[in-house]
Amino acid sequence: MGFSGHLVFARSCRSLLEAPVFDSLDEELTAGVGTWESRPGGWQTLQFDFGTWDDADLPALVEWSKAPACVAQVSDSDLALVTGLDTAGQRWQAWLNLDIAARLLAKEPEGLEDQLLWLDTPEFHDAVRHKHAELDAEIPTDAEGAVAWAAAAGIPITPQTERIQELLRSHETPVEDLFSTLLDELGFPPGH
């Protein structure tokens, strides 16, 4: 069983856990937070179990840090929805691992009585193909949003939008590694 929870990426000259958005975490939850190796410029990644992060926390974190931030909602190390927000309120989102996202988001027929039986039908596979095509069509816009977000973070190089699109079409697991590679490609150099 892989990791399920949130990866929070933001900048701070202090420990990111000092952000007021995390004040409500008790000692036990704080002790369970994983910290990834810091990146140059004060960029940090925290790894939280499910139930400790709320979507409303992202704007609060951006306001506190006065820098763009993003969060990846990870499911079993197979799938993630990444949401980024800059200081001007511009938001972008992208799925990591479209194949699994399409299976999860495929529209179920109304009145479905047994989901397990539906998963092995031609109709299910058609629904997955349709959802995959829909998600894939959003990738150029998602990649542009990610690149603009990195620029708002003060990244001195312009990331290659085509490379970001390739990553968003990747099937790499664990998805945590794909998230880290996405940050690399957006111009946030790995720590030393």
Side-chain angles (χ1 to χ4, degrees):
M1 180 130 182
F3 167 72
S4 289
H6 293 88
L7 303 174
V8 178
F9 181 72
R11 182 171 65 195
S12 175
C13 56
R14 300 178 287 176
S15 167
L16 199 51
L17 269 175
E18 292 179 29
V21 74
F22 302 123
D23 285 349
S24 63
L25 297 181
D26 62 29
E27 270 185 51
E28 186 178 324
L29 287 174
T30 304
V33 173
T35 54
W36 289 15
E37 186 175 357
S38 293
R39 293 171 181 257
W43 292 98
Q44 302 171 46
T45 304
L46 299 178
Q47 182 172 321
F48 295 91
D49 290 331
F50 265 130
T52 54
W53 180 262
D54 187 89
D55 288 339
D57 293 337
L58 187 58
L61 183 60
V62 168
E63 185 177 330
W64 174 80
S65 67
K66 298 181 181 20
C70 73
V71 61
Q73 182 179 336
V74 179
S75 179
D76 201 20
S77 292
D78 291 330
L79 171 71
L81 177 62
V82 182
T83 303
L85 184 68
D86 69 20
T87 55
Q90 292 298 313
R91 177 183 288 266
W92 65 276
Q93 282 192 314
W95 287 99
L96 300 180
N97 201 338
L98 282 191
D99 288 350
I100 293 177
R103 291 178 66 81
L104 180 71
L105 300 171
K107 185 170 171 65
E108 294 179 356
E110 289 189 31
L112 183 66
E113 291 183 22
D114 190 341
Q115 186 181 24
L116 289 178
L117 291 177
W118 185 62
L119 296 177
D120 200 25
T121 65
E123 292 81 11
F124 170 73
H125 297 291
D126 286 344
V128 169
R129 275 191 293 281
H130 177 73
K131 181 50 82 173
H132 194 285
E134 214 174 88
L135 295 172
D136 190 75
E138 296 170 5
I139 284 180
T141 303
D142 298 342
E144 287 173 16
V147 169
W149 173 83
I155 297 304
I157 59 159
T158 303
Q160 298 296 316
T161 306
E162 299 79 24
R163 178 66 184 127
I164 304 304
Q165 289 182 35
E166 285 175 29
L167 279 172
L168 297 180
R169 288 186 172 105
S170 172
H171 310 292
E172 183 179 326
T173 55
V175 79
E176 298 92 291
D177 292 347
L178 189 53
F179 178 69
S180 184
T181 303
L182 177 63
L183 295 175
D184 295 347
E185 292 295 332
L186 285 171
F188 298 92
H192 303 293

